Amino acid sequence: MPAPVSKPDDPALLRIDGAVATITLNRPTAFNSINLAIAQKLEQLASYIEGDDAIRVLVIEGEGRAFSAGGDLQTIGAAAEAGTVTPVVGELLKHYHAFIEIIRRMPKISLSSVHGSAAGAGMGLAFVTDLCIAADDAKFTPAYAKIGVSPDGGSTVGIVGTVGSRRALQIFLAEDNFTAQQAYEWGLVAKTVPAAELKAATRQLAERLAQNPPAAIAGTKQLVYQAAATPVKQQLDAEEHKIIMAMNTEAFRTAVKKFTSKSK
């Protein structure tokens, strides 16, 4: 299947460079807030990336001054006034949550590259990816409790699994916002860099991740995410299955030959 062709005015853009695909949230005048159009486009692009065996890493970034301001409150507010929140938000989240499901299950590493503000579902997106790199001046804003709602957009999936339930409750209910440094200390951000260096550092990290063979990426990701909810014997059996599968690949045989030749 050919890669989707991105037009400059698309709400999300796709760029592929070797083994690294980049999705750019492209509603800069709305601070990349999530509406139905961008949710549908994200689902479409993620579906393509999931099925392209040549892609090993997905980078998600935002155009303009912010990573993402979260849900489009103009659209959602209008629906609330009109009494149509259930169908409007239901349709939006059907596509957006499908996008989140894809990036969590696909046998590739997803990396969010965050600058400016990441609020609400935008914050959730930053942390539901497998890894996050952030500009040192990035700001994360939970936002949900202030408008009287609970988290969505994968926010609890990514954050609770990383920081635990008590810190997650603190983040969602007691923090107006927090810095990239705090997110780093809590384990939510893998690395912080000066804002001017974010694109180059993101590319460097993405290329480093893409050096891992596909079987290593796929097996490691699945094992890590299932570990917390899987009985020990079942997890050990899964480890055995995944490592034997990986050892039957040419990438493993080549790597072992290289290693053993050095040790002689």
Side-chain angles (χ1 to χ4, degrees), residues 62-77:
E63 181 64 34
R65 292 189 292 155
F67 176 72
S68 174
D72 187 336
L73 289 182
Q74 288 198 342
T75 299
I76 296 168

Side-chain angles (χ1 to χ4, degrees), residues 11 42 69 93-94 130 143 145 163 178 182 187 193 212 214 216 225 240 261:
L42 288 170
L93 289 182
K94 179 180 79 172
D130 302 316
V163 305
F178 54 96
Q182 286 174 290
V193 296
N212 293 295
Y225 283 140
E240 177 184 348
S261 65

Side-chain angles (χ1 to χ4, degrees), residues 98-113:
F99 160 66
I100 297 297
E101 285 185 60
I102 293 169
I103 64 175
R104 290 288 286 198
R105 76 173 181 238
M106 67 181 183
K108 306 157 195 292
I109 291 292
S110 57
L111 170 65
S112 55
S113 178

Side-chain angles (χ1 to χ4, degrees), residues 161-215:
T162 301
V163 305
S165 57
R166 292 174 72 88
R167 177 76 76 183
L169 287 169
Q170 173 191 330
I171 288 171
F172 289 120
L173 298 175
E175 298 287 348
D176 289 334
N177 55 68
F178 54 96
T179 65
Q181 181 59 34
Q182 286 174 290
Y184 173 78
E185 292 169 359
W186 295 340
L188 290 164
V189 166
K191 185 177 184 180
T192 63
V193 296
E197 300 174 15
L198 180 62
K199 281 193 176 293
T202 299
R203 184 68 199 182
Q204 184 179 38
L205 179 54
E207 289 177 345
R208 168 65 186 86
L209 293 167
Q211 290 174 11
N212 293 295

Side-chain angles (χ1 to χ4, degrees), residues 105-146:
R105 76 173 181 238
M106 67 181 183
K108 306 157 195 292
I109 291 292
S110 57
L111 170 65
S112 55
S113 178
V114 179
H115 74 289
S117 173
M123 181 192 73
L125 176 57
F127 300 141
V128 80
T129 53
D130 302 316
L131 294 170
C132 175
I133 183 172
D136 55 10
D137 61 355
K139 184 169 71 173
F140 300 93
T141 305
Y144 292 104
K146 278 201 165 184

